[in-house]
Amino acid sequence: MNEQDARPNEEGAKVDAWRSWLKESFGKKLKRLHAWNAWLVALLALTGVVLYIPTIRGDLGAFRVFLKQAHSVLGIVSILIILYYIRYIPKHWRQIRQKINQRWNLVIVLMLLAGWSVTGLILWQFRSFPPIWSNAALVLHDLFTWVGIPYAVYHSVSRSRWLKAMRRREREASSQSEKHEGVSAKAVASEDSEILPQAQIDYWKKAPISRAAFIRWVIGLAIVFGVGPAFYRWLKTVTDTGGAELDQLAGEDANRMLPAPEALPESNPPVGGGGQGQFRIYTVTDIPAFSSENWKFTVGGLVEKPLSWSWEEFLKLKRKVQVSDFHCVTGWSVYKVTWEGIPLSELLAMADVKNTGRFVKMYSGDKVYTDCLSLEQAQMEDIMVAVLMDGKPIPQQLGGPVRLVVPQMYAYKSVKWLQAIELIDKEHIGYWEVRGYDNDAWVSKNRLS
């Protein structure tokens, strides 16, 4: 057979396979859809958990961007399967009308899938929505994950073949025992037959707890006690308005910067009332610690007057106070943070930028992270080299002692542990931009045009 003859046969086989799939029984289609969805949920859970872990962000590097895209693609495929299943819901619901547990399971699973889908779509297209939408979507997406993954694990184990086989053997043994006692086998609990209510009650009055039921209880309790403490900690961070977190981080601060900066009256107490929301601590390296004895801040490159300050000298620079929101590209925000520091435009003016200086490159004290702004962007009045947050020194874990704040852009532009600024003539591609993030980091959709 030549190649031309083989091609029609292959196409015919594909058509036959497609027709065969369409003609499958309702039960087989449901089983196939269930399997597909289970694998997708497992892959989404795996990729989502890996993306969530802050401590491995730097290790993942560019792979993290790929993983984020893969997570989005898997989510879209999952939504398509859900949309395909919608047409079968009424028939499936009627099919399990006598199985209350299965109906409850179906309702819970559909609620979880719908919640994941809606919040996931908002996070995927976060730039098309106001930040408050993506912030709420992220919290709800995390909540559905905290509930959904343990539930999926419990459901998978409790519905596993070996546990079903154990229940079947127990039912058979109970049935034989009840026959000797004159009780009809139809009164025995069965997932596949209609149950007479009074007979069921009489049966369970006599029946001890089964091995299968005991194992399900053990699995359920293990999941609750295993996940519960972590879920409680997450819930506390979500409900924290920000002040308690700032105090805690300040108590854990390993920086030794003396003297401590004294807040201006405008920022202590905070003008904005204190940051509203929860910072998520991300870093691509180990969090560095600094001492005022060896800390330096420099402005150099294409400038007429290269500048350098020690910590005590830096604290003598004139500072201003501003209130702004802080938005992360992963979806969360902290609102009405009161920052105190030196406007970046004033530092550039002090250094007297040369005509050839067109871009401003920022260096982190972790000696790894860098980013860049155009000179025009860097001169926006709300971009600040911040020293205090909500009237207190910026904690080490949030980028202190000094960090950049770029309110109108996503936070990967707001370089933490900022120690050096260099004026350059060609654009520098920053740490995350090299790894796939957009160089265009405007929060407002109107600024993207």
Short mmCIF file of all heavy atoms in Angstrom, two decimals, residues 28-65:
data_model
loop_
_atom_site.label_atom_id
_atom_site.label_comp_id
_atom_site.label_asym_id
_atom_site.label_seq_id
_atom_site.Cartn_x
_atom_site.Cartn_y
_atom_site.Cartn_z
N LYS A 28 -20.51 5.75 30.17
CA LYS A 28 -19.12 5.79 29.74
C LYS A 28 -18.63 7.22 29.54
O LYS A 28 -17.49 7.55 29.88
CB LYS A 28 -18.95 4.99 28.46
CG LYS A 28 -19.01 3.48 28.65
CD LYS A 28 -18.72 2.75 27.36
CE LYS A 28 -18.70 1.24 27.58
NZ LYS A 28 -18.41 0.51 26.32
N LYS A 29 -19.50 8.08 28.99
CA LYS A 29 -19.11 9.48 28.81
C LYS A 29 -18.85 10.15 30.15
O LYS A 29 -17.88 10.88 30.32
CB LYS A 29 -20.20 10.23 28.05
CG LYS A 29 -20.21 9.95 26.56
CD LYS A 29 -21.26 10.80 25.87
CE LYS A 29 -21.24 10.54 24.36
NZ LYS A 29 -22.27 11.30 23.64
N LEU A 30 -19.74 9.89 31.12
CA LEU A 30 -19.55 10.47 32.44
C LEU A 30 -18.25 9.99 33.08
O LEU A 30 -17.51 10.77 33.69
CB LEU A 30 -20.72 10.10 33.36
CG LEU A 30 -21.98 10.95 33.24
CD1 LEU A 30 -23.00 10.50 34.28
CD2 LEU A 30 -21.69 12.43 33.40
N LYS A 31 -17.97 8.70 32.92
CA LYS A 31 -16.75 8.14 33.49
C LYS A 31 -15.52 8.77 32.85
O LYS A 31 -14.54 9.11 33.52
CB LYS A 31 -16.74 6.63 33.27
CG LYS A 31 -15.61 5.91 33.99
CD LYS A 31 -15.74 4.40 33.85
CE LYS A 31 -14.62 3.70 34.61
NZ LYS A 31 -14.72 2.21 34.47
N ARG A 32 -15.58 8.98 31.52
CA ARG A 32 -14.45 9.60 30.82
C ARG A 32 -14.25 11.05 31.26
O ARG A 32 -13.14 11.50 31.53
CB ARG A 32 -14.67 9.51 29.32
CG ARG A 32 -13.43 9.87 28.49
CD ARG A 32 -13.79 9.92 27.01
NE ARG A 32 -14.22 8.62 26.54
CZ ARG A 32 -13.40 7.68 26.07
NH1 ARG A 32 -12.10 7.92 26.05
NH2 ARG A 32 -13.86 6.54 25.62
N LEU A 33 -15.37 11.80 31.33
CA LEU A 33 -15.29 13.18 31.77
C LEU A 33 -14.75 13.28 33.20
O LEU A 33 -13.97 14.17 33.53
CB LEU A 33 -16.67 13.85 31.68
CG LEU A 33 -17.19 14.16 30.28
CD1 LEU A 33 -18.63 14.64 30.36
CD2 LEU A 33 -16.33 15.23 29.62
N HIS A 34 -15.19 12.37 34.06
CA HIS A 34 -14.71 12.35 35.45
C HIS A 34 -13.20 12.12 35.49
O HIS A 34 -12.48 12.78 36.26
CB HIS A 34 -15.45 11.25 36.21
CG HIS A 34 -15.13 11.22 37.67
ND1 HIS A 34 -14.04 10.54 38.18
CD2 HIS A 34 -15.73 11.80 38.75
CE1 HIS A 34 -13.99 10.69 39.48
NE2 HIS A 34 -15.01 11.44 39.87
N ALA A 35 -12.72 11.19 34.68
CA ALA A 35 -11.28 10.91 34.66
C ALA A 35 -10.49 12.10 34.15
O ALA A 35 -9.45 12.48 34.73
CB ALA A 35 -11.01 9.67 33.79
N TRP A 36 -10.97 12.70 33.06
CA TRP A 36 -10.27 13.89 32.52
C TRP A 36 -10.21 14.99 33.58
O TRP A 36 -9.17 15.61 33.80
CB TRP A 36 -11.00 14.40 31.28
CG TRP A 36 -10.83 13.54 30.07
CD1 TRP A 36 -9.96 12.50 29.91
CD2 TRP A 36 -11.56 13.64 28.85
NE1 TRP A 36 -10.10 11.94 28.68
CE2 TRP A 36 -11.07 12.62 27.98
CE3 TRP A 36 -12.57 14.47 28.39
CZ2 TRP A 36 -11.56 12.43 26.70
CZ3 TRP A 36 -13.07 14.28 27.10
CH2 TRP A 36 -12.56 13.27 26.27
N ASN A 37 -11.35 15.25 34.20
CA ASN A 37 -11.41 16.33 35.18
C ASN A 37 -10.51 16.04 36.37
O ASN A 37 -9.86 16.93 36.90
CB ASN A 37 -12.86 16.52 35.64
CG ASN A 37 -13.03 17.76 36.49
OD1 ASN A 37 -12.78 18.87 36.04
ND2 ASN A 37 -13.45 17.57 37.72
N ALA A 38 -10.47 14.77 36.79
CA ALA A 38 -9.62 14.41 37.93
C ALA A 38 -8.15 14.68 37.63
O ALA A 38 -7.42 15.23 38.47
CB ALA A 38 -9.83 12.93 38.28
N TRP A 39 -7.70 14.29 36.43
CA TRP A 39 -6.31 14.54 36.06
C TRP A 39 -6.02 16.03 35.97
O TRP A 39 -4.96 16.51 36.40
CB TRP A 39 -6.00 13.86 34.72
CG TRP A 39 -5.66 12.41 34.87
CD1 TRP A 39 -6.42 11.34 34.49
CD2 TRP A 39 -4.47 11.87 35.45
NE1 TRP A 39 -5.79 10.16 34.80
CE2 TRP A 39 -4.58 10.45 35.39
CE3 TRP A 39 -3.33 12.42 36.01
CZ2 TRP A 39 -3.60 9.60 35.87
CZ3 TRP A 39 -2.34 11.57 36.49
CH2 TRP A 39 -2.48 10.18 36.42
N LEU A 40 -6.96 16.79 35.41
CA LEU A 40 -6.75 18.23 35.29
C LEU A 40 -6.68 18.89 36.66
O LEU A 40 -5.83 19.75 36.90
CB LEU A 40 -7.89 18.85 34.46
CG LEU A 40 -7.78 18.66 32.95
CD1 LEU A 40 -9.07 19.06 32.27
CD2 LEU A 40 -6.62 19.47 32.38
N VAL A 41 -7.58 18.50 37.56
CA VAL A 41 -7.55 19.08 38.92
C VAL A 41 -6.24 18.73 39.61
O VAL A 41 -5.64 19.57 40.29
CB VAL A 41 -8.76 18.57 39.74
CG1 VAL A 41 -8.59 18.93 41.22
CG2 VAL A 41 -10.05 19.17 39.21
N ALA A 42 -5.76 17.50 39.42
CA ALA A 42 -4.49 17.11 40.02
C ALA A 42 -3.33 17.95 39.48
O ALA A 42 -2.48 18.43 40.25
CB ALA A 42 -4.22 15.62 39.76
N LEU A 43 -3.29 18.15 38.16
CA LEU A 43 -2.22 18.96 37.55
C LEU A 43 -2.33 20.43 37.96
O LEU A 43 -1.33 21.10 38.22
CB LEU A 43 -2.27 18.82 36.03
CG LEU A 43 -1.86 17.45 35.48
CD1 LEU A 43 -2.14 17.36 33.98
CD2 LEU A 43 -0.37 17.19 35.73
N LEU A 44 -3.57 20.94 38.02
CA LEU A 44 -3.78 22.32 38.45
C LEU A 44 -3.34 22.50 39.90
O LEU A 44 -2.73 23.50 40.26
CB LEU A 44 -5.25 22.71 38.29
CG LEU A 44 -5.70 23.03 36.86
CD1 LEU A 44 -7.22 23.05 36.77
CD2 LEU A 44 -5.13 24.37 36.41
N ALA A 45 -3.66 21.51 40.74
CA ALA A 45 -3.26 21.59 42.14
C ALA A 45 -1.74 21.58 42.27
O ALA A 45 -1.16 22.37 43.02
CB ALA A 45 -3.87 20.42 42.92
N LEU A 46 -1.09 20.69 41.51
CA LEU A 46 0.37 20.59 41.58
C LEU A 46 1.04 21.89 41.12
O LEU A 46 1.90 22.44 41.83
CB LEU A 46 0.84 19.42 40.72
CG LEU A 46 2.36 19.22 40.63
CD1 LEU A 46 2.93 18.90 42.01
CD2 LEU A 46 2.70 18.11 39.65
N THR A 47 0.65 22.39 39.96
CA THR A 47 1.26 23.63 39.45
C THR A 47 0.91 24.82 40.33
O THR A 47 1.74 25.69 40.56
CB THR A 47 0.81 23.89 38.00
OG1 THR A 47 -0.63 23.89 37.93
CG2 THR A 47 1.34 22.82 37.06
N GLY A 48 -0.33 24.85 40.84
CA GLY A 48 -0.74 25.96 41.70
C GLY A 48 0.03 26.01 43.00
O GLY A 48 0.46 27.07 43.45
N VAL A 49 0.25 24.85 43.62
CA VAL A 49 1.00 24.79 44.88
C VAL A 49 2.45 25.21 44.65
O VAL A 49 3.02 25.96 45.45
CB VAL A 49 0.92 23.38 45.48
CG1 VAL A 49 1.92 23.23 46.62
CG2 VAL A 49 -0.49 23.09 45.99
N VAL A 50 3.04 24.75 43.56
CA VAL A 50 4.43 25.13 43.25
C VAL A 50 4.53 26.64 43.04
O VAL A 50 5.46 27.29 43.53
CB VAL A 50 4.94 24.37 42.01
CG1 VAL A 50 6.31 24.91 41.58
CG2 VAL A 50 5.05 22.88 42.32
N LEU A 51 3.57 27.23 42.33
CA LEU A 51 3.57 28.67 42.11
C LEU A 51 3.36 29.44 43.42
O LEU A 51 3.84 30.56 43.57
CB LEU A 51 2.48 29.06 41.11
CG LEU A 51 2.73 28.67 39.65
CD1 LEU A 51 1.47 28.87 38.83
CD2 LEU A 51 3.86 29.49 39.06
N TYR A 52 2.65 28.83 44.35
CA TYR A 52 2.30 29.51 45.60
C TYR A 52 3.49 29.61 46.56
O TYR A 52 3.59 30.56 47.33
CB TYR A 52 1.15 28.76 46.28
CG TYR A 52 0.76 29.30 47.64
CD1 TYR A 52 -0.06 30.42 47.75
CD2 TYR A 52 1.20 28.69 48.82
CE1 TYR A 52 -0.44 30.92 48.98
CE2 TYR A 52 0.83 29.18 50.06
CZ TYR A 52 0.01 30.30 50.14
OH TYR A 52 -0.36 30.79 51.36
N ILE A 53 4.40 28.64 46.51
CA ILE A 53 5.49 28.58 47.49
C ILE A 53 6.49 29.71 47.26
O ILE A 53 7.20 29.74 46.24
CB ILE A 53 6.22 27.22 47.41
CG1 ILE A 53 5.24 26.07 47.67
CG2 ILE A 53 7.36 27.16 48.41
CD1 ILE A 53 5.83 24.70 47.44
N PRO A 54 6.56 30.69 48.16
CA PRO A 54 7.44 31.85 47.93
C PRO A 54 8.93 31.50 47.90
O PRO A 54 9.71 32.13 47.19
CB PRO A 54 7.12 32.77 49.12
CG PRO A 54 5.82 32.28 49.67
CD PRO A 54 5.80 30.80 49.40
N THR A 55 9.35 30.51 48.68
CA THR A 55 10.78 30.26 48.88
C THR A 55 11.48 29.70 47.64
O THR A 55 12.72 29.69 47.59
CB THR A 55 10.99 29.29 50.05
OG1 THR A 55 10.20 28.11 49.83
CG2 THR A 55 10.56 29.93 51.35
N ILE A 56 10.72 29.22 46.64
CA ILE A 56 11.37 28.64 45.46
C ILE A 56 11.19 29.49 44.22
O ILE A 56 11.48 29.05 43.11
CB ILE A 56 10.86 27.20 45.19
CG1 ILE A 56 9.34 27.21 44.93
CG2 ILE A 56 11.18 26.29 46.34
CD1 ILE A 56 8.81 25.85 44.52
N ARG A 57 10.71 30.72 44.39
CA ARG A 57 10.50 31.59 43.23
C ARG A 57 11.80 31.82 42.46
O ARG A 57 11.85 31.74 41.24
CB ARG A 57 9.92 32.94 43.67
CG ARG A 57 8.48 32.85 44.11
CD ARG A 57 8.04 34.14 44.78
NE ARG A 57 8.03 35.26 43.87
CZ ARG A 57 7.00 35.58 43.08
NH1 ARG A 57 5.92 34.85 43.09
NH2 ARG A 57 7.07 36.62 42.28
N GLY A 58 12.86 32.12 43.20
CA GLY A 58 14.14 32.37 42.54
C GLY A 58 14.71 31.12 41.89
O GLY A 58 15.31 31.19 40.81
N ASP A 59 14.53 29.97 42.53
CA ASP A 59 15.06 28.73 41.98
C ASP A 59 14.36 28.35 40.67
O ASP A 59 14.98 27.78 39.77
CB ASP A 59 14.89 27.59 42.99
CG ASP A 59 15.69 27.82 44.26
OD1 ASP A 59 16.73 28.49 44.17
OD2 ASP A 59 15.27 27.35 45.33
N LEU A 60 13.07 28.66 40.58
CA LEU A 60 12.33 28.31 39.36
C LEU A 60 12.73 29.19 38.17
O LEU A 60 12.74 28.74 37.04
CB LEU A 60 10.82 28.44 39.63
CG LEU A 60 10.22 27.41 40.58
CD1 LEU A 60 8.74 27.72 40.81
CD2 LEU A 60 10.37 26.01 40.03
N GLY A 61 13.01 30.47 38.46
CA GLY A 61 13.45 31.37 37.39
C GLY A 61 12.45 31.44 36.26
O GLY A 61 11.24 31.61 36.45
N ALA A 62 12.95 31.30 35.02
CA ALA A 62 12.09 31.40 33.83
C ALA A 62 11.05 30.28 33.80
O ALA A 62 9.97 30.44 33.23
CB ALA A 62 12.95 31.35 32.57
N PHE A 63 11.37 29.15 34.43
CA PHE A 63 10.42 28.03 34.44
C PHE A 63 9.14 28.42 35.17
O PHE A 63 8.07 27.90 34.87
CB PHE A 63 11.06 26.81 35.11
CG PHE A 63 10.16 25.60 35.14
CD1 PHE A 63 9.84 24.92 33.97
CD2 PHE A 63 9.62 25.16 36.34
CE1 PHE A 63 9.00 23.82 34.00
CE2 PHE A 63 8.79 24.06 36.39
CZ PHE A 63 8.47 23.38 35.21
N ARG A 64 9.24 29.36 36.11
CA ARG A 64 8.06 29.79 36.84
C ARG A 64 7.07 30.47 35.90
O ARG A 64 5.85 30.29 36.03
CB ARG A 64 8.44 30.75 37.97
CG ARG A 64 7.27 31.10 38.85
CD ARG A 64 7.61 32.09 39.93
NE ARG A 64 6.46 32.29 40.79
CZ ARG A 64 5.44 33.07 40.49
NH1 ARG A 64 5.43 33.75 39.36
NH2 ARG A 64 4.42 33.18 41.31
N VAL A 65 7.57 31.26 34.95
CA VAL A 65 6.69 31.92 33.99
C VAL A 65 6.01 30.88 33.11
O VAL A 65 4.81 30.95 32.83
CB VAL A 65 7.49 32.92 33.13
CG1 VAL A 65 6.58 33.59 32.11
CG2 VAL A 65 8.14 33.97 34.02
#
